[in-house]
Amino acid sequence: MSETTAQPSTTPDGKRALRVLVVEDSEFDAHMLIGLLRAGGFEPEFERVETEGGMRAALGQAQWEVILADYNLPDFSAPRALEVLQESQLDIPFIIVSGGIGEDLAVQIMKSGAHDYLMKGNLARLVPAVEREVREARERGKHREADAALHAANEQMRIAHEIQ
């Protein structure tokens, strides 16, 4: 999945380009998150979705570098959004940004595969969390590519030995 292995690009003003899928029912909250990313040195291109269908469509139409998801939406939820992401088999960091869920739910969603959890009332960790998770996703992509290249080379050697 090459979207995770591309090197970070920068805009002419030196900001880091970032493609963000925001799973959020509040337009205000989505813009607040994007504003914090801008203030943190990113130039985010984003789409806001608030339904499962919207998320599925967005995942099929663009290569996202990070997903920021509210925990509770009227017709959708972060746990279901995480399942949709996992079904897609894309390696995109999934960070929950919520107004407040209990510690038990936060632990449960992290065990299910979310990469981080942030409280909307304390978003000081948003930019560092996004930076870390995007970097780690790129590293995972590089590792997958190296493994695939090694597997292909081994297969070529096996075929060469069979021919001899």
Side-chain angles (χ1 to χ4, degrees), residues 22-147:
V22 182
V23 181
E24 172 64 71
D25 60 320
S26 166
E27 190 171 337
F28 176 83
D29 286 355
H31 283 281
M32 176 189 60
L33 294 171
I34 296 305
L36 289 169
L37 291 172
R38 280 194 180 106
F42 287 106
E43 188 52 53
E45 181 179 332
F46 76 100
E47 180 175 342
R48 182 178 67 88
V49 298
E50 54 186 286
T51 64
E52 181 174 336
M55 182 175 176
R56 287 185 186 281
L59 288 173
Q61 294 171 353
Q63 293 181 343
W64 305 102
E65 293 175 272
V66 66
I67 297 172
L68 303 177
D70 189 5
Y71 192 86
N72 289 310
L73 293 88
D75 299 313
F76 201 29
S77 69
R80 182 64 194 135
L82 181 58
E83 290 173 4
V84 169
L85 174 61
Q86 291 167 337
E87 290 166 9
S88 76
Q89 297 184 342
L90 297 171
D91 183 3
I92 304 170
F94 188 92
I95 299 173
I96 296 170
V97 182
S98 185
I101 61 172
E103 187 175 316
D104 292 342
L105 283 178
V107 169
Q108 182 180 354
I109 191 87
M110 296 290 289
K111 286 182 178 180
S112 296
H115 293 89
D116 208 339
Y117 171 80
L118 305 171
M119 299 287 291
K120 283 184 180 177
N122 182 15
L123 292 173
R125 288 191 322 109
L126 177 65
V127 171
V130 167
E131 289 172 334
R132 180 189 68 245
E133 295 304 334
V134 168
R135 182 180 59 252
E136 289 179 7
R138 284 191 180 109
E139 291 301 317
R140 288 190 302 270
K142 288 177 186 176
H143 184 74
R144 280 192 304 274
E145 287 179 0
D147 283 350

